[in-house]
Amino acid sequence: MRFVAGCAKHRCMKARILITLKNGVLDPQGKATEQVLAGLGFGGINDVRQGKYIELDLAENNPTNALNAVRAMCEKLLANTVIENYEIDLDE
Amino acid sequence: MRFVAGCAKHRCMKARILITLKNGVLDPQGKATEQVLAGLGFGGINDVRQGKYIELDLAENNPTNALNAVRAMCEKLLANTVIENYEIDLDE
Amino acid sequence: MSEITPEIVGEHGLTPEEYQRVLRIMGREPKMTELGIFSVMWSEHCSYKSSKFWLKKLPTEAPWVICGPGENAGVIDIGEGKACIFKMESHNHPSFIEPYQGAATGVGGILRDIFTMGARPVANMNALRFGAPEHPKTRHLVGGVVAGIGGYGNCIGIPTVGGEVNFDPSYNGNILVNAMTVGIADTDKIFYSAAAGIGNPVVYVGSKTGRDGIHGATMASAEFDDDSEEKRPTVQVGDPFTEKLLLEACLELMATDAIIAIQDMGAAGLTSSSVEMSDKGGVGIEFDLDRVPVREEAMTPYEIMLSESQERMLMVLKPGRENMARKIFEKWELDFAIIGTVTDTNRLVLKSGGEEICNIPVPPLVAEAPEYERPWVATPPPRVLAIDDALADINIAPTDALARLVASPDLCSRRWVWEQYDHMVMADTLRRPGADAAIVRVHGTDRALAITTDCTPRYCVADPVQGGRQAVAEAWRNLTASGAKPLAITDNMNFGNPERPEIMGQFAGCIEGMTDACLALDFPVVSGNVSLYNETNGTGILPTPAIGGVGLIEDVNNDTTSAGFTAEGEAILLIGNTSGHLGRSMLLRVFSDNYRDAGAPPPVDLEAERRNGDFVRDLIVGDRVSACHDVSDGGLLVAAAEMALLGSIGAEISLPTTGIPAFAWLFGEDQSRYITTTSAPEEVLTAANSAGVPAIMIGTTGGPQLTVGDGNSISLLELRNAHESWFPEYMADV
Amino acid sequence: MKAAVIVSPGSNCDRDVQVALQQSAGSEPIMHWHGDANLPDVDLIIVPGGFAYGDYLRAGALAAQSPVIQEVVARANKGVPVLGICNGFQILTECGLLPGVLMRNAGLKFICRDVDLRVEAADTVFTLDYMDGQVIRIPVAHNEGNYFADDATLNRLDGEDRVAFRYCSPEGRVTDSANPNGAARNIAGILNEGRNVLGMMPHPERLADPMLGGNDGRPMFDGLVEALVATE
Ligand SMILES: Nc1ncnc2c1ncn2[C@@H]1O[C@H](COP(=O)(O)OP(=O)(O)O)[C@@H](O)[C@H]1O
Ligand SMILES: [Mg+2]
């Protein structure tokens, strides 16, 4: 797949990707953060899960193409699909 | 601030927090990701920025209280406001 | 109604015959949780069913051995009331699936094996084998594995002081990640796993139990698949921070007299730890599974017993000490739960929701675990390569050959790897990575441990017996070259599918060779690990019996020496006999079209090995040499180049006057050799002569370059660039 | 001289600092548990390296919330010398005693090796036994040592002579290639306004014993002991 580069000439899309740990996968970061929040007196927190957030600017104006490309990037690099899920959100 | 614990008895809210680097702060991780994506043949990517995503389950049913609490957590701990911005999204 | 169908038995990895044995032991059809327990206890990993027959042959005794194989790790006496506790373990398959977490949890697992015996871990090592550098997966795997090992070890604050890295296409589909930990304990404060004391509390500490690592095949059975949920990953995630807390909390409790027995939860978690504790103690154990701290909702007893969640321990405490122990674990913010008691029934009894869901007699579960003497065929003896044939198609200047060799994936500097490991934390690393053995001071004393890992799989595949000998001998040699007295080894036997007779033949051959070497060198095996089925599409990995060796330096102020040249104008001596053996050499791997990875490996003459090594150690301890390095992969010139680079001092190396062709002499991989430097060569040569040890002067140190023969030279700068660039360039932009 | 070393869960250079201090002071520092806000009266506080709280979220962020850290801030404000090494430096920036943040290394990898440092401020209790412009060799071992602050802050640090150490070449030149982690202006260590708080990424305690291959860290501890014993 090839996109034409250059945001100036073409319309640009922004992809926002949320990467979260799959259910049941241990989240040591979330667990430690939860403990410290509790220690600071923030009560009533039942669960803290930490993930990644990635923003991409794409030189692409066809949403289907963009979604396919971003999905491929997630599968190939951005998410570790053995333990992570990803969610893609496109806006123009 | 004190919440009453226990999701079963009370309604639960989920807070989703996006933490991103402020403009002008170098993002070596985003840069590296961008390069690797290009190396993998994904063209037309103009910018990659990487941040954090945190999900909290709160035993709270008043949206204003919840938002205030989460904002306080961000200021005090979750974000380093020297270099990071945060965005809070609540849903029930 | 039969719950257990032949399919379920198959999914649990049990053969029909093995299942018949289960039925006989139980006297009834097992319940699902019971079947799960048999399945993991009788797996290759836990029962060593294919390898036990052979492992029994390894020598395990010496006057300094306190505890040989069978416990969590081996224990040796290092004097002054201290013991060294160490072991190596593989995490091959998980690291291939998810390199970062697989390698990280491998480090976590081996650390627990060490501190569960009462030792504070003081050093980590790692022996890594990857596929061909050009294979599309290799870079990603190298990057992930190295980051994972560093991620865990750096965080917990145990220095990673050395290891080895090999590349070979046979590992394309099966990388090897073997991690070793060395710890130090007081000899009168060593903890074992035998449960004792009827009625004593059994306590669970550490992280909560989740559904980590429950075997994929069993998860697929309809009964246990939570249909709504995504297919659960079988990869565990490590939490080095929690492990650090667990380490400190355990050591704090161990300083009291509260613990009767302790066992980490490794593979097969609660199952293997409880079975081992009760079997070793000749007692029964009863658990109330409702009291096990869990991380996820609605976990079944089956899942709780089979979970491989990390950072957990099981202990038997003296009665009345529970509260004191609880306070320690709570201070370190860890879960602490009394989940059961020691009983006099010899049975593992599990209750959940008030119901008995498991009741297995422990002695037959352990004693009647299957053991196979699988058919094997010896590897046919390889043809010895004639030197002239081997060298026929090589036509290049020696220093050009050297520059390419030291820049090859197998011989280049591993700096890219070890700089990602904190190798200095704890402030006792006297010799950092980059030379032969690492040297780690015994904290607060003038003693030190020398530590190394070694194996040359390309030798093992050609001749398993010689390869097995060589692996042990090289470890011994590396320790010796640092001035240490080699004490004992741990091993990690990585092989292909044991159901193939050729693979079992490799296994048998390596064991035979290792046994010979251990006996000849007084270098017993005190712990180890076996990893089989490292095979993809019928191609097995090179047989890889990785050896981790530990030696003792009694006085760090006097008994050790540099691995690099230390002064200009000193004589360079070669200790040991050189015949110019080129079979399986790096020279041929890099330069030969016809004989790459061909021929017989260099034989190891164990008597000469012992004689030469003992002589060299005496030289070092007697302060009669200024530097010492063993000669291994790449031969004499590569070893000399390494010494020059380490010391930033060049050298002139002369060519042989004997009948050996120059390239065979410079790059042959004859064993049992060392290079040393001295300002009084005559003295050393005379001493060698009277000890019956071959020794000759091969050159002089000095200058900014390495010169071979008359005038063929390369600057140290160029040599260093060649040596240092391959790894970072290969790993750029991963 | 009485010193306290703050021990957090996940500290792992606490013992190394203890040994180095003891060697210079002749007496053992107090090893003070982070959860205990009652910090005894001491002449020196050291926040050692490690991975307090696993460095989860951000390096040093969770540890900066420990009960004792507020007390450390209060003491620092009263003028008690506070030295933060590596993770300790990260904690001191997260709790606001020092400006800026330590971001992920530019190379995105953990780095453990000796680096050369140029001493930029030899007039503090921490650097008495060094000379301005002196080049010393000290190891780094970190994943997040990439010092960042906005230009105004950096200018202020420079203008007030509050950069204590910079990464440099063996000859003392401040170059990009001598910068191991991408730190702004090659900054390896900085001081607070009162010059009684020093945060630094390199580990002086790791080369304070010639057996370990160097002794350039030793003068920091010797100097501290001299200065603080003299003020007693
Ligand atoms: N995976 C690794 N981790 C840490 N250090 C390593 C690793 N691989 C190699 N090294 C280090 O690089 C040096 C050279 O390794 P190697 O060539 O295998 O040594 P030798 O031939 O003397 O056994 C040794 O100090 C070794 O500990
Ligand atoms: Mg060697």
Side-chain angles (χ1 to χ4, degrees):
Chain A
M1 192 172 309
R2 278 278 301 139
F3 298 107
V4 196
C7 234
K9 293 204 209 97
H10 301 260
R11 213 145 43 106
C12 236
M13 303 193 99
K14 204 189 215 51
R16 300 151 166 272
I17 307 164
L18 290 183
I19 298 172
T20 49
L21 284 173
K22 287 189 179 171
N23 252 333
V25 176
L26 181 71
D27 178 7
Q29 307 224 44
K31 198 177 70 171
T33 306
E34 187 175 332
Q35 270 173 18
V36 173
L37 282 173
L40 286 174
F42 293 106
I45 301 172
N46 294 321
D47 197 21
V48 179
R49 306 276 290 171
Q50 184 165 330
K52 274 181 230 143
Y53 170 64
I54 298 174
E55 260 179 32
L56 296 173
D57 284 344
L58 287 176
E60 170 63 67
N61 43 24
N62 175 323
T64 315
N65 288 354
L67 196 64
N68 285 339
V70 177
R71 199 171 288 140
M73 295 176 206
C74 286
E75 290 286 335
K76 203 148 170 101
L77 181 73
L78 303 178
N80 178 349
T81 51
V82 179
I83 51 172
E84 292 171 332
N85 290 325
Y86 59 89
E87 237 175 85
I88 302 169
D89 199 30
L90 277 183
D91 51 54
E92 286 158 67
Chain B
M1 187 171 315
R2 278 278 303 138
F3 296 108
V4 196
C7 231
K9 290 200 209 101
H10 301 262
R11 212 144 45 106
C12 237
M13 302 194 98
K14 204 189 215 53
R16 298 150 167 273
I17 307 164
L18 290 183
I19 298 172
T20 50
L21 285 173
K22 285 189 174 165
N23 259 335
V25 177
L26 209 68
D27 176 11
Q29 234 164 317
K31 268 264 128 30
T33 305
E34 191 174 328
Q35 268 164 25
V36 177
L37 282 174
L40 288 174
F42 293 104
I45 301 172
N46 294 322
D47 196 22
V48 180
R49 305 277 290 170
Q50 184 159 334
K52 274 180 225 147
Y53 170 61
I54 297 175
E55 257 179 35
L56 297 173
D57 284 343
L58 289 175
E60 171 61 71
N61 42 25
N62 176 320
T64 317
N65 289 353
L67 196 63
N68 285 339
V70 176
R71 200 174 285 139
M73 294 177 207
C74 285
E75 288 288 333
K76 183 127 185 122
L77 181 70
L78 301 180
N80 181 335
T81 51
V82 176
I83 47 166
E84 293 170 331
N85 291 324
Y86 59 89
E87 234 175 88
I88 301 169
D89 198 29
L90 276 184
D91 50 53
E92 285 160 66
Chain C
M1 178 202 79
S2 177
E3 209 187 340
I4 311 286
T5 63
E7 290 76 55
I8 292 181
V9 170
E11 279 163 5
H12 280 78
L14 294 170
T15 64
E17 297 73 43
E18 288 169 350
Y19 184 61
Q20 286 309 312
R21 200 183 287 202
V22 173
L23 289 176
R24 193 165 39 78
I25 290 172
M26 293 301 292
R28 60 171 164 83
E29 178 171 286
K31 296 178 188 161
M32 203 51 127
T33 306
E34 292 169 334
L35 182 69
I37 289 172
F38 272 98
S39 143
V40 294
M41 289 311 297
W42 288 9
S43 68
E44 186 68 57
H45 190 84
C46 288
S47 71
Y48 290 87
K49 57 188 165 193
S50 305
S51 58
K52 210 188 289 171
F53 172 83
W54 294 101
L55 295 177
K56 284 179 193 153
K57 298 179 184 291
L58 291 168
T60 59
E61 281 169 23
W64 50 86
V65 173
I66 296 177
C67 173
E71 277 290 335
N72 283 300
V75 185
I76 55 174
D77 193 331
I78 54 169
E80 294 184 356
K82 302 271 184 216
C84 170
I85 302 187
F86 66 102
K87 183 174 189 283
M88 178 153 41
E89 197 157 83
S90 64
H91 228 209
N92 302 336
H93 189 62
S95 302
F96 186 75
I97 306 278
E98 210 308 277
Y100 185 97
Q101 294 297 344
T105 50
V107 174
I110 190 62
L111 280 164
R112 282 192 298 285
D113 273 330
I114 302 309
F115 70 80
T116 195
M117 295 195 74
R120 178 172 285 280
V122 297
N124 285 325
M125 300 283 288
N126 57 107
L128 312 177
R129 324 275 162 189
F130 297 102
E134 53 282 359
H135 188 271
K137 281 213 161 104
T138 303
R139 291 195 328 155
H140 164 72
L141 291 168
V142 173
V145 164
V146 170
I149 289 172
Y152 208 100
N154 299 347
C155 180
I156 192 167
I158 316 291
T160 301
V161 296
E164 48 182 340
V165 183
N166 286 173
F167 296 90
D168 187 277
S170 76
Y171 305 108
N172 281 353
N174 295 86
I175 62 170
L176 302 183
V177 175
N178 297 167
M180 170 176 170
T181 296
V182 179
I184 293 175
D186 291 338
T187 46
D188 58 358
K189 271 276 184 199
I190 294 166
F191 290 80
Y192 296 98
S193 56
I198 310 308
N200 281 349
V202 182
V203 170
Y204 170 118
V205 297
S207 286
K208 293 188 200 313
T209 296
R211 291 186 172 98
D212 312 75
I214 299 169
H215 193 258
T218 42
M219 288 305 302
S221 88
E223 312 258 351
F224 297 95
D225 205 4
D226 187 349
D227 38 33
S228 65
E229 245 177 325
E230 63 208 340
K231 194 169 176 310
R232 287 193 198 94
T234 55
V235 179
Q236 307 105 296
V237 169
D239 180 358
F241 172 56
T242 296
E243 178 111 326
K244 165 76 172 163
L245 304 183
L246 188 61
L247 162 67
E248 297 300 340
C250 285
L251 291 180
E252 195 172 324
L253 183 61
M254 284 166 167
T256 73
D257 66 346
I259 299 177
I260 289 177
I262 178 164
Q263 168 72 40
D264 68 295
M265 294 190 221
L270 208 44
T271 292
S272 63
S273 54
S274 54
V275 169
E276 256 162 63
M277 287 178 104
S278 73
D279 181 58
K280 289 225 174 81
V283 294
I285 281 186
E286 186 172 324
F287 284 153
D288 178 357
L289 292 184
D290 299 344
R291 297 203 216 152
V292 172
V294 291
R295 192 175 82 223
E296 296 182 63
E297 280 168 37
M299 287 191 64
T300 64
Y302 180 99
E303 290 172 327
I304 291 174
M305 289 307 288
L306 266 58
S307 160
E308 295 194 346
S309 288
Q310 302 287 298
E311 292 97 20
R312 304 178 298 162
M313 293 269 191
L314 199 63
M315 313 187 286
V316 176
L317 295 183
K318 287 189 186 160
R321 302 293 206 287
E322 298 91 333
N323 282 341
M324 181 262 293
R326 181 189 298 278
K327 280 210 187 88
I328 292 177
F329 282 86
E330 282 175 356
K331 168 186 156 194
W332 290 99
E333 299 175 13
L334 293 165
D335 273 290
F336 176 101
I338 299 168
I339 63 169
T341 46
V342 177
T343 68
D344 62 0
T345 61
N346 281 332
R347 291 179 159 263
L348 177 66
V349 175
L350 304 176
K351 299 205 164 131
S352 171
E355 225 176 286
E356 183 176 291
I357 46 100
C358 164
N359 188 332
I360 301 179
V362 173
L365 169 63
V366 176
E368 291 181 38
E371 191 180 323
Y372 299 119
E373 194 188 334
R374 298 200 185 271
W376 61 282
V377 292
T379 304
R383 188 169 68 88
V384 177
L385 270 185
I387 292 180
D388 291 336
D389 290 347
L391 292 177
D393 63 345
I394 298 177
N395 189 1
I396 174 176
T399 53
D400 291 342
L402 174 65
R404 264 182 63 192
L405 277 172
V406 299
S408 69
D410 289 291
L411 289 180
C412 69
S413 166
R414 270 66 179 124
R415 183 183 305 280
W416 183 90
V417 176
W418 78 65
E419 283 192 347
Q420 292 184 63
Y421 301 151
D422 189 337
H423 47 264
M424 296 182 247
V425 63
M426 297 182 89
D428 281 313
T429 306
L430 303 186
R431 189 190 278 169
R432 303 179 187 179
D436 296 317
I439 301 180
V440 177
R441 184 167 50 193
V442 178
H443 191 69
T445 74
D446 281 333
R447 301 182 154 232
L449 299 173
I451 310 167
T452 183
T453 69
D454 292 283
C455 178
T456 313
R458 65 179 195 279
Y459 295 172
C460 295
V461 71
D463 183 339
V465 177
Q466 290 298 341
R469 287 179 170 211
Q470 196 275 341
V472 174
E474 189 179 349
W476 189 84
R477 211 179 294 149
N478 273 316
L479 300 176
T480 295
S482 71
K485 175 176 191 288
L487 292 180
I489 62 174
T490 180
D491 66 67
N492 204 143
M493 307 293 288
N494 307 275
F495 289 78
N497 182 350
E499 292 159 37
R500 288 204 291 139
E502 314 83 76
I503 302 290
M504 263 339 273
Q506 295 175 341
F507 196 92
C510 285
I511 291 275
E512 183 189 329
M514 288 163 60
T515 302
D516 294 346
C518 290
L519 288 174
L521 303 172
D522 256 333
F523 202 30
V525 178
V526 295
S527 58
N529 180 244
V530 176
S531 169
L532 300 175
Y533 297 98
N534 292 290
E535 204 160 302
T536 305
N537 304 332
T539 350
I541 57 164
L542 298 184
T544 311
I547 304 297
V550 172
L552 179 68
I553 293 169
E554 294 207 10
D555 178 1
V556 292
N557 302 302
N558 297 310
D559 297 354
T560 182
T561 187
S562 163
F565 294 148
T566 50
E568 307 242 344
E570 289 197 318
I572 304 174
L573 306 186
L574 176 66
I575 314 285
N577 191 47
T578 302
S579 72
H581 189 102
L582 287 170
R584 304 280 157 173
S585 65
M586 286 307 305
L587 181 79
L588 298 190
R589 176 173 266 209
V590 173
F591 292 100
S592 175
D593 292 329
N594 300 326
Y595 298 107
R596 173 169 303 130
D597 293 330
V604 184
D605 173 344
L606 290 166
E607 261 172 57
E609 185 76 53
R610 176 88 193 226
R611 201 176 327 116
N612 298 355
D614 286 347
F615 174 72
V616 165
R617 192 176 321 102
D618 284 346
L619 290 180
I620 296 171
V621 173
D623 208 13
R624 286 148 72 197
V625 288
S626 50
C628 182
H629 181 36
D630 74 307
V631 179
S632 60
D633 286 336
L636 185 162
L637 192 59
V638 167
E642 287 167 351
M643 296 180 82
L645 290 175
L646 275 171
S648 296
I649 293 174
E652 279 176 20
I653 304 290
S654 43
L655 286 173
T657 48
T658 55
I660 302 173
F663 264 59
W665 194 78
L666 291 171
F667 299 108
E669 296 185 4
D670 301 286
Q671 297 293 300
S672 321
R673 296 185 299 162
Y674 302 81
I675 295 179
T676 63
T677 56
T678 171
S679 51
E682 287 312 322
E683 219 178 284
V684 175
L685 292 173
T686 310
N689 194 23
S690 43
V693 169
I696 50 167
M697 181 159 158
I698 58 164
T700 314
T701 62
Q705 76 237 352
L706 200 63
T707 304
V708 180
D710 331 311
N712 175 228
S713 37
I714 180 168
S715 75
L716 287 192
L717 193 66
E718 194 180 330
L719 201 55
R720 196 182 301 284
N721 282 341
H723 191 48
E724 293 291 349
S725 14
W726 186 84
F727 232 115
E729 280 170 13
Y730 176 64
M731 292 304 295
D733 296 329
V734 172
Chain D
M1 183 203 66
K2 265 207 324 212
V5 177
I6 306 294
V7 183
S8 296
S11 294
N12 61 35
C13 304
D14 42 337
R15 189 188 77 183
D16 305 355
V17 165
Q18 179 186 20
V19 169
L21 259 179
Q22 184 173 358
Q23 171 181 269
S24 292
S27 63
E28 289 226 14
I30 298 164
M31 304 305 282
H32 187 85
W33 183 242
H34 78 115
D36 177 1
N38 295 316
L39 186 63
D41 261 333
V42 289
D43 311 304
L44 170 68
I45 299 168
I46 300 191
V47 188
F51 283 72
Y53 287 95
D55 274 0
Y56 297 140
L57 191 63
R58 288 182 312 278
L62 299 179
Q65 306 297 334
S66 288
V68 77
I69 293 295
Q70 284 324 301
E71 188 53 30
V72 171
V73 172
R75 298 290 172 87
N77 289 337
K78 281 188 205 143
V80 175
V82 176
L83 170 61
I85 301 170
C86 194
N87 195 222
F89 185 13
Q90 294 159 345
I91 294 170
L92 295 184
T93 58
E94 281 284 346
C95 73
L97 268 183
L98 292 170
V101 297
L102 292 142
M103 312 221 322
R104 181 117 186 247
N105 293 343
L108 302 178
K109 281 195 286 293
F110 189 93
I111 310 168
C112 178
R113 64 175 151 96
D114 289 352
V115 297
D116 292 303
L117 299 179
R118 195 171 74 192
V119 179
E120 304 280 80
D123 62 335
T124 72
V125 286
F126 310 100
T127 49
L128 276 188
D129 280 7
Y130 297 116
M131 285 178 318
D132 268 326
Q134 185 182 344
V135 176
I136 58 177
R137 186 169 57 90
I138 303 273
V140 291
H142 59 243
N143 205 12
E144 280 110 357
N146 178 355
Y147 184 75
F148 174 88
D150 57 31
D151 280 336
T153 307
L154 292 173
N155 289 340
R156 191 154 162 228
L157 287 173
D158 274 332
E160 294 171 1
D161 196 19
R162 283 166 53 195
V163 175
F165 301 103
R166 273 185 231 274
Y167 303 109
C168 68
S169 71
E171 302 77 38
R173 268 175 301 133
V174 174
T175 60
D176 282 347
S177 60
N179 187 339
N181 53 28
R185 303 187 189 178
N186 282 42
I187 288 176
I190 56 169
L191 296 155
N192 69 339
E193 244 172 296
R195 304 181 90 70
N196 64 317
V197 178
L198 169 65
M200 64 190 293
M201 288 315 297
H203 287 271
E205 79 280 10
R206 290 190 182 186
L207 277 185
D209 171 357
M211 287 299 290
L212 297 171
N215 209 16
D216 284 0
R218 173 100 193 227
M220 177 165 299
F221 299 99
D222 285 350
L224 276 166
V225 171
E226 284 159 37
L228 299 173
V229 167
T231 60
E232 253 170 42

